[in-house]
Amino acid sequence: MHTLLRRALTSGGVVLLGLTVAVGGAGAASAHVTVDPSEAEAGGYALLTFRVPNESDTASTTELEVDLPTDTPFAHVSVEPVPGWTATVTTAELDEPVSVHGAEITEAVDTVTWTADDADAAIAPGEFRRFTVSAGPVPEVESIVLPAHQTYSDGEVVSWEEVAEGDAEPSLPAPVLAVTSAQESAQVSAQTSAQTSAEGSGGGDATGLWLGAAGLGLGLVGAVTGAVALSRTRTAGTSR
């Protein structure tokens, strides 16, 4: 008995240790600048939120600069105000004019920079902050790389600009926005709707089966009760 208990506890301890390591590893791997959502529909406008965690134990994040593409540019970019931070938008001349919804543009936003107004507004160790822009129309490409440069109060600059090659994730991955076509979005929506309907039907069938089984069970109970009562009646009659 004690041996089995020790084995169970030991096995459970190993499992818990494995889970702790896995969770800790996942947290460390995901502590970088990311963009949400991670995909957007081509031709539409996207509300892009950059999540910026502070990874330093001694310094605060005082600035974030995000690079926007100029080869496949966003024609319109607007910035959501962040209390305590000043946003600066810069534009660049395009190498070649780009036609967007029938209009030709020759320059586009190439960087958006947020700077903390003071030390109190900076992102302290153990904290994170979100910065949001509205950008569009989303160009018709497979994906858009959005390099981000994070500046700390001690002067360190971390550039999240590496692009994954194969299955290995780089140490400083850039935020990436995957682009889907309107047709792909419609297919995903249809599949989701069909799955929801199927699950609903399955739930109804299961409920029906449960109710049928419950009714059958009650019927059997009634039959047994009746048989017992009849048996008692016959026994009483015979005794007389």
Side-chain angles (χ1 to χ4, degrees), residues 16 20 45 65 71 88 98-99 113 119 140 155-157 230:
L16 289 175
T20 302
Y45 277 75
E65 178 181 315
D71 52 344
T88 304
V98 176
S99 178
T113 305
E140 296 184 3
E156 181 185 7
V157 178
L230 179 61

Side-chain angles (χ1 to χ4, degrees), residues 37-220:
S38 58
E39 66 177 26
E41 184 179 320
Y45 277 75
L47 198 64
L48 305 177
T49 298
F50 295 90
R51 183 182 182 279
V52 184
N54 190 89
E55 294 190 315
S56 174
D57 295 329
T58 57
S60 298
T61 296
T62 58
E63 184 178 279
L64 174 70
E65 178 181 315
V66 176
D67 298 335
L68 302 182
T70 54
D71 52 344
T72 55
F74 294 106
H76 305 285
V77 176
S78 56
V79 182
E80 181 179 63
V82 177
W85 291 69
T86 298
T88 304
V89 178
T90 63
T91 59
E93 293 287 336
L94 303 180
D95 294 335
E96 296 181 1
V98 176
S99 178
V100 178
H101 288 182
E104 188 176 87
I105 61 173
T106 58
E107 66 175 18
V109 174
D110 65 338
T111 63
V112 179
T113 305
W114 292 268
T115 306
D117 296 337
D118 51 43
D120 292 335
I123 308 172
E127 298 180 349
F128 74 94
R129 188 174 287 275
R130 298 184 181 95
F131 302 89
T132 302
V133 301
S134 174
V138 177
E140 296 184 3
V141 292
E142 290 186 0
S143 62
I144 302 172
V145 180
L146 302 165
H149 312 281
Q150 183 176 9
T151 301
Y152 287 89
S153 56
D154 59 4
E156 181 185 7
V157 178
V158 178
S159 292
W160 305 95
E161 58 185 3
E162 299 175 358
V163 179
E165 296 182 0
D167 296 331
E169 182 178 3
S171 57
L172 297 172
V176 177
L177 179 68
V179 180
T180 61
S181 66
Q183 182 178 2
E184 289 174 336
S185 299
Q187 290 176 346
V188 171
S189 178
Q191 290 174 355
T192 302
S193 178
Q195 182 178 359
T196 302
S197 298
E199 290 175 352
S201 299
D205 292 343
T207 302
L209 289 173
W210 183 87
L211 290 174
L216 180 60
L218 290 174
L220 290 174

